[in-house]
Amino acid sequence: MSDPAPLPLPSSPVTHRRATARQWAAAARPRTLPAAITPVLVGTGAAAAVDGVAWVPAVLALVVALALQVGVNYANDYSDGIRGTDDDRVGPFRLVGSGAAEPRHVRDAAFACFAVAGLAGLVVVALSGAWWLLLVGAASVAAAWYYTGGKRPYGYAGLGEVFVFVFFGLVAVTGTTYVQAGRIDGTAVAGAFCVGFLACAILVANNLRDVPTDALAGKRTLAVRLGEQRTRTLYAALVVGAFVAALTTVPWHPFAALVLLAGVLAQRPVRAVLGGAGGRDLIAVLKDTGQLELLAGALLALGLAL
């Protein structure tokens, strides 16, 4: 993908230091990585239910997902930072907004991650022979960049949850299943809905925390558009919807009911969100929701494979 025209730098000068390795790791936002790992687990479980696991494509799919997730996080850091959206930030550490790294270095890190995802994706395409997957990969990278990048980022228009559901739910799960089993069935689609809903719940919790600052910065996320109360209801509905989607596979795969064990981890974040938690208290909700997605996905994958 060609290098897009850089966005304008904020008018106020920022003194940049040399970011440490620990700061780069923090800016990669490791707590969001379950959103990349889980769809590969569930997609692999669905493949096992269809025709058996193919480990090489599965591992490559994981590389693609992880590289895209980290790339999205660095791209958001860059684009939000140069727009000034992160000037008064409550959430996790940002490289550009804090002045720890030059914007161009963070942008280049995002592109490096996208390149890794692209290379791993090319190998998957070559192994599967499904060259149309190149279009899916290109769309995934473009969607990752233009979430907060470009002149009209769709994340600023309240469409971020659509991106997450499609690419970290439907595409990631069914794509993982396809490159291993050569086809997609209803089980994979149900698993994709489960994963997509929980991935969206992570983003909804993140954007709920940032409603005050996003509104001031003109970032019209879905949470800003809905308002705090309806966003809290949406979060709970997404968590419940994920379990409902997973349980639709039980008539054909009885062990998929194992996913209900993850309900233990759902109680605390749902209570916190519905109870009015805000600001830094929602950082714990992000962590809990990520752990919930990972555990629910692992249990569903196991149940489908048994």
Side-chain angles (χ1 to χ4, degrees):
M1 184 176 68
S2 60
D3 188 1
L7 298 171
L9 292 171
S11 56
S12 57
V14 176
T15 301
H16 298 289
R17 308 180 299 275
R18 182 182 294 276
T20 65
R22 186 173 183 177
Q23 288 174 321
W24 278 101
R29 301 186 67 182
R31 288 180 179 176
T32 67
L33 296 185
I37 298 170
T38 305
V40 177
L41 289 177
V42 174
T44 300
V50 172
D51 194 36
V53 175
W55 289 110
V56 172
V59 171
L60 288 169
L62 180 61
V63 172
V64 171
L66 287 170
L68 280 176
Q69 180 65 62
V70 176
V72 167
N73 292 338
Y74 283 145
N76 292 350
D77 190 311
Y78 165 74
S79 297
D80 283 346
I82 64 174
R83 281 192 169 90
T85 308
D86 289 339
D87 288 349
D88 185 20
R89 183 168 177 79
V90 175
F93 174 78
R94 291 291 185 99
L95 290 164
V96 176
S98 68
E102 293 186 26
R104 62 187 179 90
H105 292 159
V106 180
R107 180 200 60 195
D108 292 347
F111 287 166
C113 291
F114 295 153
V116 170
L119 288 173
L122 282 174
V123 178
V124 171
V125 169
L127 291 174
S128 67
W131 296 101
W132 55 270
L133 287 174
L134 289 174
L135 297 177
V136 176
S140 298
V141 172
W145 174 255
Y146 288 107
Y147 172 52
T148 55
K151 293 182 179 180
R152 295 182 179 178
Y154 63 86
Y156 280 56
L159 297 174
E161 285 76 7
V162 175
F163 157 70
V164 167
F165 181 77
V166 171
F167 289 99
F168 283 94
L170 295 179
V171 170
V173 174
T174 60
T176 299
T177 301
Y178 183 84
V179 298
Q180 296 182 67
R183 64 187 180 93
I184 299 167
D185 66 355
T187 296
V189 174
F193 270 76
C194 171
V195 172
F197 285 151
L198 288 175
C200 284
I202 294 175
L203 181 60
V204 167
N206 179 81
N207 289 344
L208 175 62
R209 180 201 63 214
D210 294 339
V211 163
T213 54
D214 283 347
L216 288 174
K219 187 175 182 180
R220 302 283 293 172
T221 63
L222 183 60
V224 171
R225 290 175 178 273
L226 290 177
E228 288 196 17
Q229 190 55 51
R230 285 189 289 181
T231 299
R232 295 178 189 280
T233 302
L234 173 62
Y235 174 86
L238 287 168
V239 172
V240 172
F243 284 96
V244 171
L247 291 175
T248 62
T249 65
V250 169
W252 298 274
H253 305 284
F255 285 106
L258 286 170
V259 73
L260 290 173
L261 296 175
V264 175
L265 291 187
Q267 296 177 28
R268 184 168 65 180
V270 170
R271 279 201 304 263
V273 170
L274 293 181
R280 294 191 178 277
D281 291 338
L282 286 169
I283 296 177
V285 170
L286 281 173
K287 177 183 177 181
D288 290 344
T289 311
Q291 291 176 344
L292 168 62
E293 182 183 6
L294 187 58
L295 179 60
L299 289 171
L300 178 59
L302 176 62
L304 295 177
L306 290 176

